[in-house]
Amino acid sequence: MIIRIGLILGIGVLLVSCNNIEPQQQNNREEAVRANTTQHEYAMVIHGGAGYMSPEKNAEEEQLALKATMDSLLLLGKELLVNNADAVDVVSHIITIMEDDPRFNAGRGAVFAENGKNELDASIMQGSDLNAGAVAGVSTVRHPILAAKEVMENSRHVFMSGAGAESFAKEQGLELVNNDYFFTQKKYDRLKMVQKEAAKTGFNEEPFPDSKYGTVGCVVLDKKGNIVAGTSTGGLTNKKYNRIGDSPVIGAGTYANNRTCGVSCTGVGEFFIRYAIAHEVSSQYMHTNRSIKQIADELIHGTLKEINADGGLIALDKFGNVAMPFNTTAMLRGYINEEEKIVALFRSEGKSKEN
Ligand code: ASP
């Protein structure tokens, strides 16, 4: 009798240890079968901003180099995820690399505010418990996304701004830099150009239609079934009065919920705030039977396009399905899961099912 019980227990333990699928992922798999979709083991999607690049105006080398960078970020993300990294670590790590890359409008390379300074915004949210962290208007934190992560993990707040956010980042041991660390000639020239234009036309913001945003974002579904989304930006060129865009606003530029999806947005932040776009994607996913792609498409090509609001978003649903719509001419974007990898910049690239 004792031997038989021992045997049954032993087999039980063996079965449990062989089946190392986390409960969240297991639930999703069962739901995926009912929803007639596939549960991906893991997935990651990144963007480097929506805007008005064009195959004619932007040199081919520039386009290829940007895409090569996205490609290597996707491969790095995959390697981390295959090795069981947590979504929150992958999102923050990938975004710190993009913040160090002067070609993006985030961290070093951020655009300039009217006062000639770089004022940075970032946010991160984890879908397991809806915990989130954000910082706005920081000008001395090398990696704003890490400050947002510290707010999420080591404070009882969600959103900090300006000098207070910087003191907090310092207390948490994050690297602080002089504001001129963020300087790049290209973005400075752009400020001067926009200001010259503003003096002539009275139109104060980044002039369209040739702007390139370059904000960065990342959404990850890890092997445990956790979804995390993050966004980091310098905002809009020539922004005034400590203007804050959507990127650090939870529900506008960033949102994540394990029960639905994760979202990171890019574009003219004022509209994304008014329509609470990132949360809207999650909410519609929760309350309708529409796919992540249908929901994201309708918001970007319908709701926002109708009011001339430029931008795009990246989203992953809880099964790892992706949406990457944008209503400008280009959005640097990339997606990876266990079986496919996509990197694209213009509309004609990538697969129609994603953008
Ligand atoms: N959404 C950002 C903002 O309005 C800008 C961008 O995506 O490039 O601050």
Side-chain angles (χ1 to χ4, degrees):
M1 182 64 177
I2 291 174
I3 295 176
R4 207 184 290 161
I5 292 173
L7 204 65
I8 292 169
L9 283 177
I11 292 172
V13 168
L14 200 69
L15 283 178
V16 169
S17 59
C18 286
N19 178 11
N20 60 358
I21 300 170
E22 300 283 335
Q24 172 81 47
Q25 194 67 305
Q26 183 60 39
N27 282 346
N28 286 0
R29 279 187 192 196
E30 287 160 14
E31 248 193 77
V33 174
R34 288 197 295 275
N36 202 16
T37 184
T38 325
Q39 174 65 57
H40 290 291
E41 232 181 284
Y42 58 84
M44 175 170 118
V45 58
I46 46 181
H47 72 78
Y52 285 94
M53 291 182 87
S54 79
E56 301 78 40
K57 272 188 294 181
N58 297 93
E60 204 182 338
E61 304 88 77
E62 183 190 356
Q63 300 167 28
L64 290 176
L66 282 169
K67 287 204 260 180
T69 300
M70 297 301 264
D71 199 75
S72 61
L73 290 171
L74 291 176
L75 292 176
L76 172 61
K78 177 171 179 157
E79 192 187 323
L80 295 169
L81 288 165
V82 167
N83 289 302
N84 295 313
D86 285 336
V88 69
D89 294 326
V90 178
V91 167
S92 53
H93 185 59
I94 294 292
I95 292 184
T96 56
I97 298 174
M98 298 177 96
E99 286 176 338
D100 282 343
D101 186 329
R103 290 170 299 173
F104 296 114
N105 172 19
R108 193 161 157 259
V111 298
F112 286 82
E114 192 211 24
N115 58 12
K117 276 175 60 176
N118 305 96
E119 299 170 352
L120 314 170
D121 302 334
S123 65
I124 190 163
M125 180 166 191
Q126 61 189 26
S128 53
D129 56 3
L130 307 191
N131 199 2
V135 293
V138 294
S139 51
T140 60
V141 180
R142 177 174 170 187
H143 291 122
I145 193 67
L146 296 184
K149 182 169 176 275
E150 290 297 331
V151 173
M152 175 169 81
E153 294 179 339
N154 293 315
S155 85
R156 59 194 178 86
H157 305 301
V158 167
F159 206 170
M160 296 183 190
S161 69
E166 285 168 353
S167 307
F168 174 74
K170 190 173 175 197
E171 275 168 35
Q172 299 307 308
L174 293 186
E175 185 178 350
L176 299 187
V177 290
N178 286 331
N179 192 243
D180 57 14
Y181 163 83
F182 300 104
F183 180 93
T184 52
Q185 191 62 48
K186 205 168 166 187
K187 306 290 168 54
Y188 190 71
D189 292 346
R190 183 138 199 109
L191 172 70
K192 292 292 143 197
M193 197 266 276
V194 172
Q195 289 182 334
K196 211 164 130 196
E197 207 55 31
K200 274 195 277 172
T201 61
F203 183 68
N204 269 307
E205 288 157 25
E206 174 102 44
F208 303 115
D210 74 329
S211 16
K212 290 172 242 160
Y213 298 108
T215 289
V216 305
C218 178
V219 184
V220 165
L221 168 73
D222 68 19
K223 281 167 81 178
K224 298 187 196 77
N226 287 325
I227 305 174
V228 172
T231 312
S232 183
T233 189
L236 299 181
T237 302
N238 205 32
K239 62 186 183 181
K240 287 170 140 184
Y241 313 117
N242 302 123
R243 175 265 188 193
I244 298 168
D246 61 315
S247 308
V249 178
I250 296 300
T254 303
Y255 200 73
N257 183 342
N258 281 4
R259 294 171 64 199
T260 56
C261 59
V263 183
S264 168
C265 303
T266 169
V268 183
E270 283 66 13
F271 297 106
F272 285 79
I273 295 175
R274 287 177 197 148
Y275 286 81
I277 292 292
H279 181 265
E280 185 63 30
V281 176
S282 168
S283 176
Q284 290 193 20
Y285 192 90
M286 173 117 41
H287 300 295
T288 69
N289 285 325
R290 298 162 78 216
S291 71
I292 193 78
K293 160 131 178 69
Q294 287 170 325
I295 295 166
D297 271 358
E298 162 59 23
L299 287 168
I300 296 295
H301 297 296
T303 312
L304 292 178
K305 188 71 196 167
E306 276 160 26
I307 52 166
N308 285 326
D310 283 333
L313 64 80
I314 53 169
L316 281 184
D317 72 6
K318 60 186 170 185
F319 306 120
N321 295 316
V322 68
M324 310 191 269
F326 56 98
N327 59 27
T328 50
T329 58
M331 182 172 81
L332 188 60
R333 59 204 187 277
Y335 169 67
I336 198 160
N337 63 27
E338 67 282 0
E339 57 204 19
E340 69 175 325
K341 172 160 68 74
I342 303 163
V343 175
L345 177 55
F346 301 112
R347 184 165 307 289
S348 52
E349 301 169 286
K351 296 182 190 161
S352 55
K353 74 178 168 102
E354 284 92 23
N355 53 53

